[in-house]
Amino acid sequence: MNEKAQTEKIKNTPLPAFQKSLIPDNTQSDLPEMRKPIYVTQPALPPMNEFIKYIEEIWENKQLTNNGRFHQQLEKELCDYLGIKYISLFSNGTLALITALQTLNIAGEVITTPFSFVATTHSLWWNNIKPVFVDIEPRTFNLNPDKIEAAITPKTTAILPVHVYGNPCNVKRIGEIADTYGLKVIYDACHTFGVKINDVPILNFGDLSVMSFHATKVYSTFEGGAIVCHDEKTKRRIDLLKNFGFAGETTVIAHGINAKMNEFQSAVGLLQLKYIKELIKKRKHISDYYRKQLAGFKELVPDALPDVVSCYSYFPIIINENNLGITRDEVYYALKQFNIFTRRYFFPLISNFPAYASLASSAPDNLPEAEKISRQILCLPIYPNLKPGEIDFIIECLLKIIVKK
Ligand code: T4K
């Protein structure tokens, strides 16, 4: 059934009336609030009165962009917080991805995942690089290392995996493959902030990691991003590339672009950093609560990964029609009727977008796990200011939809 027909079918299916009695007592007073839309995410903004002080300073000293005071301070504070040596701030994650590929002179073919936000693959296209899609692992939703070697050709120069939902990729295996074949590794770390594996920051793996500080992310500078690297020389090259390729006032030595983070964004970032630990703690609390309440449903909530310090950026669930007797899209549309706007990150797969569907590696037969997961995945709302009553409401609605009564 196509999406339009499916929408119609669901629209015409009466939903069971929402039973007030199922809501725990302490949330009864929140009920009118619950009719307000609940989105998959909502930015957690720092107190405005604190931000005004930063704005006043910007107005006072007139340095608006181009490596200003706040920009420099934020790079330093992020390095300290994230446990990394070098970071270069960007105006957004997409330009950071494009520049990361330029930094290492990546060309030819790059192995990547179809299960991501489209910007991951677009960054290759903008560099005239051919994306080669490889299937994902069922547990982490990340590039499957077992499938990488078969996709390597003489034209392959790099691997571009994504730590999807902040789940660390199998960095050990990917690193070994890259070493064996002489490939570079650039991690799309746009869903991670402070994520660690075995106590090691995930950003320390690979040649480069790229972050996004978009409004929808755990840590946000409204729009923003960064490249993380491991030595000063590479940091200098990245800084040069994001500033038109200028080396000094009158010399351009590379084909750079304008991808700088401005002082306003940097100031938001400095302020956000003051609150980030508390914000991630609140996300953890919500994630734990969802897990507890949904524990009775087989395979609904993917297992938490061992040895990982998470940032709880998304809360994905798997709607397996064979287990639950209902499709993911039926659940998605039914929740919408309760004003709950979940997201199907990532559906369709990048390989199924018309812009990429004609590539040989986009064939669904080549990507069976990704094809399956993209039809089953649903990301529930998770953000620090999600109220307890709202979380209960989401759980109640979800259970009402998936439990045949
Ligand atoms: N790589 C990966 C793996 C990524 O996930 C992304 C971005 C990138 C690279 C590129 O990084 P950036 O260039 O974006 O820095 C959103 C974001 O726009 C996108 O940044 C993000 N990934 C992607 C996963 O999600 P949409 O189309 O779902 O966004 P939107 O506008 O529908 O927002 C979702 C919900 O968030 C809204 O329903 C309401 C809420 N929201 C959103 C915004 C923008 C707010 O409450 N306030 C806001 O300002 O793509």
Side-chain angles (χ1 to χ4, degrees):
M1 202 186 301
N2 66 28
E3 186 159 336
K4 202 169 158 215
Q6 212 152 20
T7 316
E8 274 314 300
K9 183 186 152 206
I10 291 157
K11 268 190 192 156
N12 296 329
T13 309
L15 283 168
F18 185 67
Q19 292 176 14
K20 274 188 179 189
S21 60
L22 288 176
I23 308 171
D25 277 343
N26 63 349
T27 66
Q28 293 282 345
S29 60
D30 286 345
L31 261 181
E33 282 277 297
M34 289 171 185
R35 306 317 296 173
K36 285 200 305 198
I38 303 174
Y39 297 106
V40 70
T41 192
Q42 185 188 78
L45 295 171
M48 210 210 242
N49 60 335
E50 291 188 31
F51 188 54
I52 284 167
K53 291 180 199 138
Y54 288 84
I55 303 272
E56 281 171 352
E57 194 172 326
I58 293 173
W59 253 247
E60 180 62 32
N61 66 27
K62 314 281 186 294
Q63 177 85 35
L64 308 185
T65 185
N66 290 8
N67 201 23
R69 180 172 111 59
F70 291 146
H71 182 286
Q72 290 175 30
Q73 192 183 338
L74 184 58
E75 286 195 346
K76 190 179 168 316
E77 290 195 17
L78 280 171
C79 281
D80 292 345
Y81 181 87
L82 296 167
I84 53 175
K85 278 204 177 135
Y86 299 97
I87 194 166
S88 180
L89 299 175
F90 275 72
S91 48
N92 61 61
T94 305
L95 281 169
L97 275 168
I98 290 171
T99 309
L101 292 156
Q102 285 278 326
T103 303
L104 301 179
N105 284 317
I106 306 297
E109 295 179 3
V110 168
I111 289 171
T112 190
T113 170
F115 191 73
S116 181
F117 189 61
V118 71
T120 310
T121 311
H122 278 349
S123 70
L124 297 171
W125 208 264
W126 275 68
N127 277 295
N128 207 15
I129 295 165
K130 183 177 170 189
V132 176
F133 294 116
V134 159
D135 208 4
I136 61 170
E137 297 176 320
R139 183 144 187 229
T140 61
F141 313 118
N142 294 331
L143 204 57
N144 187 339
D146 291 341
K147 311 270 174 176
I148 291 177
E149 285 184 272
I152 295 173
T153 74
K155 290 185 182 156
T156 310
T157 55
I159 309 172
L160 176 60
V162 182
H163 303 297
V164 176
Y165 311 135
N167 292 340
C169 291
N170 190 337
V171 286
K172 188 165 174 282
R173 285 284 316 281
I174 291 172
E176 284 164 4
I177 295 167
D179 286 348
T180 305
Y181 291 86
L183 307 176
K184 300 285 185 194
V185 181
I186 299 175
Y187 282 107
D188 179 331
C190 287
H191 295 179
T192 79
F193 194 83
V195 169
K196 291 182 184 170
I197 180 139
N198 295 318
D199 275 338
V200 181
I202 198 68
L203 299 169
N204 283 336
F205 294 92
D207 294 282
L208 300 173
S209 290
V210 175
M211 307 178 78
S212 166
F213 306 146
H214 182 257
T216 55
K217 299 293 190 271
V218 169
Y219 170 83
S220 155
T221 57
F222 288 23
E223 291 269 5
I227 302 179
V228 173
C229 64
H230 313 304
D231 61 86
E232 203 180 333
K233 213 167 126 198
T234 309
K235 156 85 170 139
R236 270 206 305 275
R237 174 157 167 80
I238 298 166
D239 285 348
L240 192 116
L241 284 172
K242 77 174 179 190
N243 187 29
F244 310 97
F246 272 110
E249 198 180 319
T250 52
T251 317
V252 171
I253 59 166
H255 302 97
I257 197 166
N258 181 2
K260 292 163 276 135
M261 179 179 277
N262 65 44
E263 286 295 274
F264 185 87
Q265 292 170 289
S266 305
V268 178
L270 283 169
L271 202 44
Q272 280 274 2
L273 212 46
K274 268 176 70 178
Y275 296 96
I276 193 68
K277 273 193 182 145
E278 195 50 39
L279 297 178
I280 293 177
K281 217 157 123 190
K282 285 185 180 170
R283 285 178 174 272
K284 176 176 175 3
H285 183 72
I286 295 167
S287 169
D288 290 348
Y289 190 73
Y290 271 138
R291 278 187 183 281
K292 199 166 135 220
Q293 300 300 317
L294 300 174
F297 291 88
K298 188 173 161 247
E299 294 171 13
L300 183 71
V301 181
D303 290 339
L305 297 170
D307 309 318
V308 171
V309 174
S310 175
C311 66
Y312 309 94
S313 42
Y314 296 84
F315 194 87
I317 58 170
I318 300 284
I319 308 291
N320 181 339
E321 193 183 357
N322 297 332
N323 289 345
L324 298 168
I326 188 165
T327 66
R328 185 276 312 276
D329 284 350
E330 284 170 330
V331 176
Y332 167 79
Y333 288 111
L335 283 169
K336 267 193 177 182
Q337 295 198 2
F338 287 117
N339 253 355
I340 298 168
F341 295 90
T342 58
R343 288 304 279 266
R344 293 167 291 181
Y345 294 135
F346 294 98
F347 170 81
L349 292 177
I350 302 175
S351 48
N352 286 332
F353 287 131
Y356 297 108
S358 61
L359 291 169
S361 64
S362 293
D365 287 357
N366 183 46
L367 308 164
E369 197 61 45
E371 289 281 348
K372 187 179 90 187
I373 297 291
S374 85
R375 284 193 304 270
Q376 295 183 338
I377 202 89
L378 194 65
C379 289
L380 298 184
I382 184 165
Y383 51 89
N385 295 331
L386 193 59
K387 297 191 195 89
E390 290 172 323
I391 304 165
D392 280 326
F393 181 71
I394 294 162
I395 293 167
E396 286 299 328
C397 292
L398 179 67
L399 295 185
K400 195 158 258 316
I401 293 159
I402 63 177
V403 176
K404 299 261 178 282
K405 292 219 162 115

Coordinates of all heavy atoms in Angstrom, one line a residue, residues 8-80:
E8 N -4.9 7.4 4.4 CA -6.3 7.4 4.3 C -6.9 6.3 5.2 O -7.9 6.5 5.9 CB -6.8 7.2 2.8 CG -6.9 8.5 2.0 CD -7.6 9.6 2.7 OE1 -8.8 9.4 3.1 OE2 -6.9 10.7 3.0
K9 N -6.3 5.1 5.1 CA -6.8 4.0 5.8 C -6.8 4.3 7.3 O -7.7 4.1 8.0 CB -5.9 2.7 5.5 CG -6.4 1.5 6.2 CD -5.5 0.3 6.0 CE -5.6 -0.6 7.2 NZ -4.5 -1.4 7.5
I10 N -5.6 4.9 7.7 CA -5.5 5.2 9.2 C -6.4 6.2 9.6 O -7.0 6.2 10.7 CB -4.0 5.5 9.5 CG1 -3.2 4.2 9.3 CG2 -3.8 6.0 10.9 CD1 -1.8 4.5 9.0
K11 N -6.6 7.3 8.8 CA -7.5 8.4 9.1 C -8.9 7.8 9.3 O -9.6 8.3 10.2 CB -7.5 9.4 8.0 CG -6.6 10.5 8.1 CD -6.8 11.5 7.1 CE -5.7 12.5 6.9 NZ -5.7 13.2 5.6
N12 N -9.3 6.8 8.6 CA -10.6 6.3 8.6 C -10.8 5.2 9.7 O -11.9 4.7 9.9 CB -11.1 5.7 7.3 CG -11.1 6.8 6.3 OD1 -11.4 8.0 6.6 ND2 -10.8 6.5 5.0
T13 N -9.7 4.8 10.4 CA -9.8 3.8 11.4 C -10.0 4.5 12.7 O -9.2 5.3 13.2 CB -8.5 3.0 11.5 OG1 -8.1 2.6 10.2 CG2 -8.6 1.8 12.5
P14 N -11.2 4.3 13.4 CA -11.4 4.9 14.6 C -10.5 4.4 15.7 O -10.2 3.2 15.8 CB -12.9 4.6 15.0 CG -13.2 3.4 14.1 CD -12.3 3.3 13.0
L15 N -9.9 5.4 16.4 CA -9.0 5.0 17.5 C -9.8 4.8 18.8 O -10.8 5.5 19.0 CB -8.0 6.1 17.7 CG -6.8 6.2 16.7 CD1 -6.1 7.5 16.9 CD2 -5.9 5.0 17.0
P16 N -9.3 3.9 19.7 CA -10.0 3.8 20.9 C -9.9 5.2 21.7 O -8.9 5.8 21.6 CB -9.2 2.8 21.7 CG -7.9 2.6 20.9 CD -8.2 3.1 19.6
A17 N -11.0 5.5 22.4 CA -11.0 6.8 23.1 C -9.9 6.7 24.2 O -9.7 5.7 24.7 CB -12.4 7.0 23.7
F18 N -9.3 7.9 24.4 CA -8.2 7.9 25.4 C -8.8 7.8 26.8 O -9.8 8.5 27.2 CB -7.5 9.3 25.3 CG -6.3 9.3 26.2 CD1 -5.2 8.5 26.0 CD2 -6.3 10.2 27.2 CE1 -4.1 8.5 26.8 CE2 -5.2 10.2 28.1 CZ -4.2 9.4 27.9
Q19 N -8.3 6.8 27.5 CA -9.0 6.6 28.8 C -8.2 7.4 29.9 O -7.1 7.1 30.2 CB -8.9 5.1 29.2 CG -9.7 4.2 28.3 CD -9.5 2.8 28.6 OE1 -8.9 2.4 29.6 NE2 -10.0 1.9 27.7
K20 N -8.9 8.3 30.5 CA -8.3 9.1 31.6 C -7.8 8.2 32.7 O -6.8 8.5 33.3 CB -9.3 10.1 32.1 CG -9.4 11.4 31.3 CD -10.3 12.3 32.1 CE -10.4 13.7 31.4 NZ -11.0 14.7 32.2
S21 N -8.6 7.2 33.0 CA -8.3 6.4 34.2 C -7.0 5.7 34.1 O -6.4 5.3 35.1 CB -9.4 5.3 34.3 OG -9.4 4.5 33.2
L22 N -6.4 5.6 32.8 CA -5.1 4.9 32.7 C -4.0 5.9 33.0 O -2.8 5.4 33.2 CB -4.9 4.5 31.2 CG -5.8 3.3 30.8 CD1 -5.6 3.0 29.4 CD2 -5.4 2.1 31.6
I23 N -4.3 7.2 33.2 CA -3.2 8.1 33.5 C -3.0 8.1 35.0 O -3.9 8.3 35.7 CB -3.5 9.5 33.0 CG1 -4.0 9.5 31.5 CG2 -2.4 10.5 33.2 CD1 -4.5 10.8 31.1
P24 N -1.7 8.0 35.4 CA -1.4 8.1 36.8 C -2.0 9.4 37.4 O -2.0 10.4 36.7 CB 0.1 8.1 36.9 CG 0.5 7.5 35.6 CD -0.5 7.8 34.6
D25 N -2.4 9.3 38.7 CA -3.1 10.5 39.3 C -2.4 11.8 39.2 O -2.9 12.8 38.9 CB -3.4 10.2 40.8 CG -4.6 9.3 40.9 OD1 -5.4 9.3 40.0 OD2 -4.8 8.7 42.0
N26 N -1.0 11.7 39.4 CA -0.3 12.9 39.5 C -0.2 13.7 38.2 O 0.3 14.8 38.1 CB 1.2 12.7 40.0 CG 1.9 11.8 39.0 OD1 1.3 11.2 38.1 ND2 3.2 11.6 39.2
T27 N -0.7 13.1 37.1 CA -0.7 13.8 35.8 C -2.1 14.3 35.4 O -2.2 15.0 34.4 CB -0.2 12.9 34.7 OG1 -1.1 11.9 34.5 CG2 1.2 12.3 35.0
Q28 N -3.1 14.0 36.2 CA -4.5 14.4 35.8 C -4.5 15.9 35.5 O -5.2 16.3 34.5 CB -5.5 14.0 36.9 CG -5.6 12.6 37.1 CD -6.5 11.9 36.1 OE1 -7.2 12.5 35.3 NE2 -6.4 10.6 36.0
S29 N -3.9 16.7 36.3 CA -4.0 18.2 36.1 C -3.4 18.7 34.9 O -3.6 19.8 34.4 CB -3.4 18.9 37.3 OG -2.1 18.5 37.4
D30 N -2.5 17.9 34.3 CA -1.8 18.3 33.1 C -2.6 18.0 31.8 O -2.2 18.4 30.7 CB -0.5 17.5 32.9 CG 0.6 17.9 33.9 OD1 0.4 19.0 34.5 OD2 1.5 17.1 34.0
L31 N -3.8 17.4 32.0 CA -4.5 16.9 30.8 C -4.7 18.0 29.7 O -4.4 17.7 28.5 CB -5.8 16.3 31.2 CG -5.8 14.8 31.3 CD1 -7.1 14.2 31.6 CD2 -5.3 14.2 29.9
P32 N -5.2 19.2 30.0 CA -5.5 20.1 28.9 C -4.2 20.4 28.2 O -4.2 20.6 26.9 CB -6.0 21.4 29.6 CG -6.4 20.9 31.0 CD -5.6 19.7 31.3
E33 N -3.1 20.5 28.9 CA -1.8 20.7 28.3 C -1.4 19.7 27.2 O -0.8 20.0 26.2 CB -0.7 20.6 29.4 CG -0.6 21.8 30.3 CD 0.3 22.8 29.6 OE1 1.5 22.6 29.4 OE2 -0.2 23.9 29.3
M34 N -1.9 18.5 27.4 CA -1.5 17.4 26.6 C -2.1 17.5 25.2 O -1.7 16.8 24.3 CB -1.9 16.1 27.2 CG -1.1 15.8 28.4 SD -1.7 14.4 29.2 CE -0.7 14.3 30.6
R35 N -3.1 18.3 25.0 CA -3.6 18.5 23.7 C -2.7 19.4 22.8 O -2.8 19.4 21.6 CB -5.1 19.1 23.7 CG -6.0 18.3 24.6 CD -5.9 16.8 24.4 NE -6.2 16.3 23.1 CZ -6.1 15.0 22.7 NH1 -5.6 14.1 23.5 NH2 -6.4 14.7 21.5
K36 N -1.8 20.0 23.5 CA -0.8 20.8 22.7 C 0.1 19.8 22.0 O 0.4 18.7 22.6 CB 0.1 21.6 23.7 CG -0.6 22.9 24.2 CD 0.4 23.9 24.7 CE 1.3 23.4 25.8 NZ 2.0 24.4 26.6
P37 N 0.6 20.2 20.8 CA 1.5 19.2 20.1 C 2.7 18.9 20.9 O 3.3 19.8 21.6 CB 1.8 19.9 18.8 CG 1.2 21.2 18.9 CD 0.4 21.4 20.1
I38 N 3.1 17.6 20.9 CA 4.4 17.2 21.4 C 5.3 16.8 20.3 O 4.9 15.9 19.5 CB 4.3 16.1 22.4 CG1 3.3 16.4 23.5 CG2 5.6 15.7 23.0 CD1 3.0 15.2 24.5
Y39 N 6.4 17.5 20.1 CA 7.3 17.2 18.9 C 8.4 16.3 19.4 O 8.6 16.1 20.5 CB 7.8 18.5 18.3 CG 6.8 19.4 17.8 CD1 6.4 20.5 18.4 CD2 6.1 19.0 16.6 CE1 5.4 21.3 18.0 CE2 5.1 19.8 16.1 CZ 4.7 21.0 16.8 OH 3.7 21.8 16.3
V40 N 9.1 15.7 18.4 CA 10.1 14.7 18.7 C 11.2 15.3 19.5 O 11.8 14.7 20.3 CB 10.7 14.1 17.4 CG1 11.5 15.2 16.5 CG2 11.5 12.9 17.6
T41 N 11.4 16.6 19.3 CA 12.4 17.3 20.2 C 12.0 18.8 20.3 O 11.1 19.3 19.6 CB 13.8 17.2 19.6 OG1 14.7 17.6 20.6 CG2 14.0 18.0 18.3
Q42 N 12.7 19.4 21.3 CA 12.5 20.8 21.5 C 13.8 21.4 22.1 O 14.4 20.7 23.0 CB 11.4 21.0 22.5 CG 11.0 22.4 22.8 CD 10.0 22.5 23.9 OE1 10.4 22.4 25.1 NE2 8.7 22.7 23.6
P43 N 14.3 22.5 21.6 CA 15.6 22.9 22.2 C 15.4 23.4 23.6 O 14.4 23.9 24.0 CB 16.0 24.2 21.3 CG 14.9 24.3 20.2 CD 13.8 23.3 20.6
A44 N 16.5 23.1 24.4 CA 16.5 23.6 25.8 C 17.3 24.8 25.8 O 18.6 24.8 25.7 CB 17.1 22.5 26.7
L45 N 16.7 26.0 25.9 CA 17.4 27.2 25.9 C 17.9 27.7 27.2 O 17.2 27.5 28.2 CB 16.5 28.3 25.3 CG 16.1 28.1 23.8 CD1 15.0 29.1 23.4 CD2 17.3 28.1 22.9
P46 N 19.1 28.3 27.3 CA 19.6 28.8 28.6 C 18.8 30.0 29.0 O 18.1 30.6 28.1 CB 21.0 29.1 28.3 CG 21.1 29.3 26.8 CD 20.0 28.5 26.2
P47 N 18.9 30.4 30.2 CA 18.1 31.6 30.7 C 18.5 32.9 29.8 O 19.6 33.1 29.6 CB 18.5 31.8 32.1 CG 19.1 30.5 32.5 CD 19.7 29.9 31.3
M48 N 17.4 33.6 29.4 CA 17.7 34.7 28.5 C 18.5 35.8 29.1 O 19.3 36.4 28.5 CB 16.3 35.2 28.0 CG 16.5 35.8 26.6 SD 15.3 37.1 26.4 CE 14.3 36.6 25.1
N49 N 18.2 36.0 30.4 CA 18.9 37.1 31.1 C 20.4 36.9 31.1 O 21.2 37.8 31.1 CB 18.4 37.4 32.5 CG 18.5 36.2 33.4 OD1 18.6 35.1 32.9 ND2 18.6 36.4 34.7
E50 N 20.8 35.6 31.2 CA 22.2 35.3 31.1 C 22.8 35.6 29.7 O 23.9 36.0 29.5 CB 22.5 33.9 31.5 CG 22.2 33.6 33.0 CD 22.6 32.2 33.4 OE1 23.6 31.7 32.8 OE2 22.0 31.6 34.3
F51 N 22.0 35.3 28.7 CA 22.4 35.5 27.3 C 22.6 37.0 27.0 O 23.5 37.3 26.3 CB 21.4 34.8 26.4 CG 22.0 34.8 24.9 CD1 23.2 34.2 24.7 CD2 21.2 35.3 23.9 CE1 23.7 34.2 23.4 CE2 21.7 35.3 22.6 CZ 22.9 34.8 22.3
I52 N 21.8 37.8 27.6 CA 21.9 39.2 27.3 C 23.3 39.8 27.6 O 23.8 40.6 26.9 CB 20.7 40.0 28.1 CG1 19.4 39.7 27.3 CG2 21.0 41.5 28.2 CD1 18.2 40.1 28.0
K53 N 23.9 39.3 28.7 CA 25.2 39.8 29.0 C 26.2 39.5 27.9 O 27.1 40.3 27.6 CB 25.7 39.1 30.3 CG 25.0 39.5 31.5 CD 25.5 38.8 32.8 CE 24.4 38.8 33.8 NZ 24.2 37.6 34.6
Y54 N 26.1 38.3 27.2 CA 26.9 38.0 26.1 C 26.6 39.0 24.9 O 27.5 39.5 24.3 CB 26.7 36.6 25.6 CG 27.3 35.6 26.6 CD1 26.6 35.1 27.7 CD2 28.6 35.0 26.3 CE1 27.1 34.2 28.5 CE2 29.1 34.0 27.2 CZ 28.3 33.6 28.3 OH 28.9 32.7 29.1
I55 N 25.3 39.2 24.7 CA 25.0 40.1 23.6 C 25.5 41.5 23.8 O 26.0 42.1 22.9 CB 23.4 40.2 23.5 CG1 22.8 38.8 23.4 CG2 23.0 41.1 22.4 CD1 22.6 38.3 22.0
E56 N 25.4 41.9 25.1 CA 25.9 43.3 25.4 C 27.4 43.4 25.0 O 27.9 44.4 24.5 CB 25.7 43.6 26.9 CG 24.3 44.0 27.1 CD 24.0 44.2 28.6 OE1 24.8 43.8 29.5 OE2 22.9 44.6 28.9
E57 N 28.1 42.3 25.3 CA 29.6 42.3 25.1 C 29.8 42.3 23.5 O 30.7 43.1 23.1 CB 30.3 41.1 25.7 CG 31.8 41.3 25.7 CD 32.5 40.2 26.5 OE1 31.9 39.7 27.5 OE2 33.6 39.8 26.1
I58 N 29.0 41.6 22.8 CA 29.2 41.6 21.3 C 28.9 43.0 20.8 O 29.7 43.6 20.0 CB 28.2 40.6 20.7 CG1 28.7 39.2 21.0 CG2 28.2 40.8 19.2 CD1 27.7 38.1 20.6
W59 N 27.9 43.6 21.3 CA 27.5 45.0 20.9 C 28.6 46.0 21.3 O 28.9 46.9 20.5 CB 26.2 45.4 21.5 CG 25.0 45.4 20.6 CD1 24.3 46.5 20.2 CD2 24.4 44.3 19.9 NE1 23.4 46.2 19.3 CE2 23.4 44.8 19.1 CE3 24.7 42.9 19.9 CZ2 22.6 44.0 18.3 CZ3 23.9 42.1 19.1 CH2 22.9 42.7 18.3
E60 N 29.2 45.8 22.4 CA 30.2 46.7 22.9 C 31.5 46.6 22.0 O 32.1 47.6 21.6 CB 30.5 46.3 24.4 CG 31.6 47.1 25.1 CD 31.2 48.6 25.2 OE1 30.0 48.9 25.3 OE2 32.1 49.4 25.1
N61 N 32.0 45.3 21.8 CA 33.3 45.2 21.1 C 33.3 45.1 19.6 O 34.3 45.1 19.0 CB 34.2 44.1 21.8 CG 33.6 42.8 21.6 OD1 32.9 42.5 20.6 ND2 33.9 41.9 22.5
K62 N 32.0 44.9 19.1 CA 31.8 44.9 17.6 C 32.5 43.7 16.9 O 32.6 43.8 15.7 CB 32.2 46.2 17.0 CG 31.8 47.5 17.7 CD 30.3 47.8 17.4 CE 29.9 49.1 17.9 NZ 29.8 49.2 19.4
Q63 N 33.0 42.8 17.6 CA 33.6 41.6 16.9 C 32.4 40.6 16.7 O 32.0 40.0 17.7 CB 34.7 41.0 17.7 CG 35.3 39.7 17.1 CD 36.4 40.0 16.1 OE1 37.2 40.9 16.2 NE2 36.4 39.2 15.0
L64 N 31.9 40.4 15.5 CA 30.7 39.6 15.2 C 31.1 38.2 14.8 O 30.3 37.3 15.0 CB 29.8 40.3 14.2 CG 29.5 41.8 14.5 CD1 28.5 42.2 13.4 CD2 28.9 42.0 15.9
T65 N 32.2 38.1 14.1 CA 32.6 36.8 13.5 C 34.1 36.8 13.3 O 34.8 37.6 13.8 CB 31.7 36.5 12.3 OG1 32.1 35.1 11.8 CG2 32.0 37.5 11.2
N66 N 34.6 35.8 12.5 CA 36.0 35.6 12.2 C 36.9 35.4 13.4 O 37.7 36.3 13.8 CB 36.5 36.9 11.4 CG 35.9 36.9 10.0 OD1 35.0 36.0 9.7 ND2 36.4 37.7 9.1
N67 N 36.7 34.3 14.1 CA 37.5 33.9 15.2 C 37.6 34.9 16.3 O 38.6 35.2 16.8 CB 38.9 33.6 14.6 CG 39.7 32.7 15.6 OD1 39.2 32.0 16.4 ND2 41.0 32.8 15.5
G68 N 36.4 35.3 16.7 CA 36.3 36.3 17.8 C 36.6 35.7 19.2 O 36.9 34.5 19.3
R69 N 36.4 36.5 20.2 CA 36.7 36.0 21.6 C 35.9 34.8 22.0 O 36.4 33.9 22.6 CB 36.5 37.2 22.5 CG 36.8 36.9 24.0 CD 36.7 38.2 24.8 NE 35.6 38.2 25.7 CZ 35.3 37.3 26.7 NH1 36.1 36.3 26.8 NH2 34.3 37.4 27.5
F70 N 34.6 34.9 21.7 CA 33.7 33.8 22.2 C 34.0 32.5 21.4 O 33.9 31.4 22.0 CB 32.2 34.2 22.0 CG 31.8 35.3 23.0 CD1 30.8 36.2 22.6 CD2 32.3 35.3 24.3 CE1 30.4 37.2 23.5 CE2 31.9 36.3 25.1 CZ 30.9 37.2 24.7
H71 N 34.3 32.7 20.1 CA 34.7 31.5 19.3 C 35.9 30.8 19.9 O 35.9 29.6 20.1 CB 34.9 32.0 17.9 CG 35.3 31.0 16.9 ND1 36.5 30.4 16.8 CD2 34.6 30.5 15.8 CE1 36.5 29.5 15.8 NE2 35.4 29.6 15.2
Q72 N 36.9 31.6 20.2 CA 38.1 31.0 20.8 C 37.9 30.3 22.1 O 38.3 29.2 22.4 CB 39.2 32.1 20.9 CG 39.7 32.6 19.6 CD 40.7 33.7 19.7 OE1 41.4 33.8 20.7 NE2 40.7 34.6 18.7
Q73 N 37.1 31.0 22.9 CA 36.8 30.5 24.2 C 36.0 29.2 24.1 O 36.2 28.2 24.9 CB 36.0 31.5 25.0 CG 35.9 31.2 26.5 CD 35.0 32.2 27.2 OE1 34.8 33.4 26.8 NE2 34.5 31.8 28.4
L74 N 35.0 29.2 23.2 CA 34.2 28.0 23.1 C 35.0 26.8 22.6 O 34.9 25.6 23.1 CB 33.0 28.2 22.1 CG 32.1 27.0 22.0 CD1 31.5 26.7 23.3 CD2 30.9 27.4 21.0
E75 N 36.0 27.0 21.6 CA 36.8 25.9 21.2 C 37.6 25.3 22.4 O 37.7 24.1 22.5 CB 37.8 26.4 20.1 CG 37.1 26.6 18.8 CD 38.1 26.7 17.6 OE1 39.3 26.9 17.8 OE2 37.6 26.6 16.4
K76 N 38.1 26.2 23.2 CA 38.8 25.7 24.4 C 37.9 24.9 25.3 O 38.3 23.8 25.8 CB 39.5 26.9 25.1 CG 40.5 26.5 26.1 CD 41.1 27.7 26.8 CE 41.9 27.3 28.0 NZ 41.2 26.3 28.9
E77 N 36.8 25.5 25.6 CA 35.9 24.9 26.6 C 35.4 23.5 26.1 O 35.2 22.6 26.9 CB 34.8 25.8 27.0 CG 35.3 27.0 27.9 CD 34.2 27.7 28.6 OE1 33.1 27.2 28.8 OE2 34.5 28.9 29.0
L78 N 35.1 23.5 24.8 CA 34.6 22.2 24.2 C 35.7 21.1 24.3 O 35.4 20.0 24.6 CB 34.1 22.4 22.8 CG 32.7 23.0 22.7 CD1 32.4 23.4 21.2 CD2 31.6 22.1 23.2
C79 N 36.9 21.5 24.0 CA 38.0 20.5 24.1 C 38.1 20.0 25.5 O 38.2 18.8 25.7 CB 39.3 21.2 23.7 SG 39.6 21.3 22.0
D80 N 38.0 20.9 26.5 CA 38.0 20.4 27.9 C 36.8 19.5 28.2 O 37.0 18.4 28.8 CB 38.0 21.6 28.9 CG 39.3 22.4 28.8 OD1 40.2 21.9 28.2 OD2 39.3 23.6 29.2

